[in-house]
Amino acid sequence: MTVSTTTVPTIPLNDGTEIPQLGFGVFLVPPADTQKTVEQAFEVGYRHIDTAQMYGNEAEVGAAIAAAGISRDQLYVTTKLNNGYHRPDDARRSFAESLDKLGLDRVDLFLIHWPLPTRYDGDFVTTWRTLAELRDDGGTASIGVSNFEPDHLERILDETGVIPAVNQIEVNPFFTNEAARAADARHGIATEAWSPIARGGIAGDPTIAGIAERVGRTAAQVTLRWHLQRGDIVFPKSMHRERMEENFALFDFELTDEDVAAISGLDRGESGRTGPNPNTFDRIPD
Ligand code: NDP
């Protein structure tokens, strides 16, 4: 077993906690494969796991955590509120279930997964207040949001005064999402960049390929390094151990400012998204 000795840098959050800037995401990792996959990620060196109620694999993430025997203070675990559970009682009940499935008495970060402005009479503010209560009760060290557009952020800040520690949003070289990143920065909110390699879509881009060739790295590594140098938090997903290792080997090379600018210049606006627009996304999973 190869155990990495790489130390992943941490980012300070606005609530006094810290988060490892590189983690491992488990969206679309089938439950049957999740324990083995997360155990491999731990072997590679990842200590930050990003899951969600919606992914249906919290129990298997929990099994991997239990089997790995890594001390709790070395691990960073995020989960997210599912879209059907925005009402306060549902949020509290599902959060307790998440802790139970993960086998933890506290997570590090709990997020509202989607704002769903067209559901619940447009009221994500009450849901946000409930997350603040869950944090005050000690079930999660930090709370944050995901897929919040600048006006959604303004609204929860104006109405509650509670600032999210993070906003987890889609960011990739073809959808740099600068307006949302700038709103996060304005309020001292850390940006987490989801689908950081555009679900593999960065393969074949000539600009990224050119930089990769010059620095002797892969397109995925160059893209993940671009995110890190912009200050965002990332957690690429892979079910292949060699790719987990590739995506973890980001701390022994650097991009120039020109490289970073060239990759940022690949932005295609809305058409560069790989996922849905948060203003209209309204799916409530079964
Ligand atoms: P990623 O951008 O991480 O890409 C994952 C895909 O790329 C997989 O198909 C994987 O295939 C492939 N891949 C991984 N590494 C490499 C590599 N080095 N070279 C080539 N291909 C590679 O997409 P995700 O959507 O998984 O995003 C990452 C995480 O972000 C999620 O797992 C989840 O935690 C979070 N997320 C959050 C969302 C939200 O709404 N808050 C929405 C979407 C994601 P393989 O597995 O076969 O290696």
Side-chain angles (χ1 to χ4, degrees):
M1 182 175 97
T2 329
V3 178
S4 167
T5 52
T6 303
T7 306
V8 171
T10 54
I11 299 268
L13 300 180
N14 60 23
D15 59 7
T17 64
E18 296 195 335
I19 185 169
Q21 197 182 5
L22 173 65
F24 186 76
V26 295
F27 177 43
L28 296 180
V29 180
D33 299 310
T34 299
Q35 181 175 348
K36 189 187 82 192
T37 301
V38 173
E39 285 182 26
Q40 282 185 349
F42 286 147
E43 285 171 16
V44 169
Y46 294 89
R47 292 292 180 267
H48 164 183
I49 304 294
D50 185 89
T51 185
Q53 295 173 348
M54 197 188 287
Y55 303 166
N57 55 19
E58 288 173 307
E60 294 75 14
V61 169
I65 291 171
I70 300 167
S71 78
R72 180 65 186 89
D73 63 358
Q74 296 300 305
L75 277 182
Y76 194 97
V77 181
T78 300
T79 193
K80 316 183 192 86
L81 181 70
N82 210 343
N83 291 349
Y85 304 144
H86 275 213
R87 293 197 179 86
D89 286 354
D90 294 331
R92 286 191 203 97
R93 178 191 44 77
S94 71
F95 179 66
E97 282 172 14
S98 286
L99 289 180
D100 194 46
K101 287 179 181 163
L102 289 161
L104 300 174
D105 52 17
R106 178 185 60 82
V107 288
D108 297 282
L109 179 60
F110 190 53
L111 308 180
I112 299 180
H113 204 149
W114 290 89
L116 307 175
T118 63
R119 295 262 183 193
Y120 301 103
D121 298 322
D123 180 14
F124 43 77
V125 177
T126 302
T127 313
W128 180 237
R129 284 205 182 90
T130 306
L131 260 68
E133 288 167 18
L134 295 172
R135 181 194 55 192
D136 294 346
D137 291 347
T140 180
S142 299
I143 52 171
V145 294
S146 178
N147 298 302
F148 272 45
E149 293 288 306
D151 59 316
H152 304 143
L153 285 180
E154 298 293 343
R155 191 161 151 216
I156 56 170
L157 292 173
D158 286 353
E159 294 191 33
T160 72
V162 180
I163 308 174
V166 311
N167 186 15
Q168 183 177 129
I169 54 175
E170 178 169 8
V171 185
N172 72 62
F174 314 121
F175 180 65
T176 57
N177 211 345
E178 298 305 350
R181 289 181 75 249
D184 292 347
R186 226 172 19 248
H187 297 295
I189 299 167
T191 296
E192 297 191 321
W194 63 250
S195 296
I197 55 170
R199 300 186 178 155
I202 45 103
D205 177 84
T207 301
I208 297 173
I211 296 169
E213 194 179 335
R214 199 194 75 236
V215 299
R217 296 294 175 138
T218 67
Q221 288 173 319
V222 164
T223 304
L224 292 167
R225 183 75 208 176
W226 168 77
H227 287 283
L228 297 181
Q229 288 187 208
R230 281 158 43 103
D232 291 355
I233 299 154
V234 284
F235 22 81
K237 168 261 180 188
S238 178
M239 293 181 62
H240 296 93
R241 179 163 181 142
E242 65 281 5
R243 286 177 170 174
M244 293 179 198
E245 290 176 354
E246 177 184 331
N247 298 345
F248 198 72
L250 306 177
F251 303 102
D252 56 353
F253 74 105
E254 276 188 27
L255 304 179
T256 64
D257 292 347
E258 291 72 26
D259 294 335
V260 172
I263 298 172
S264 301
L266 299 174
D267 184 37
R268 300 175 193 148
E270 247 337 89
S271 70
R273 283 190 193 272
T274 64
N277 185 313
N279 280 313
T280 50
F281 184 66
D282 65 354
R283 196 170 74 86
I284 308 269
D286 298 334

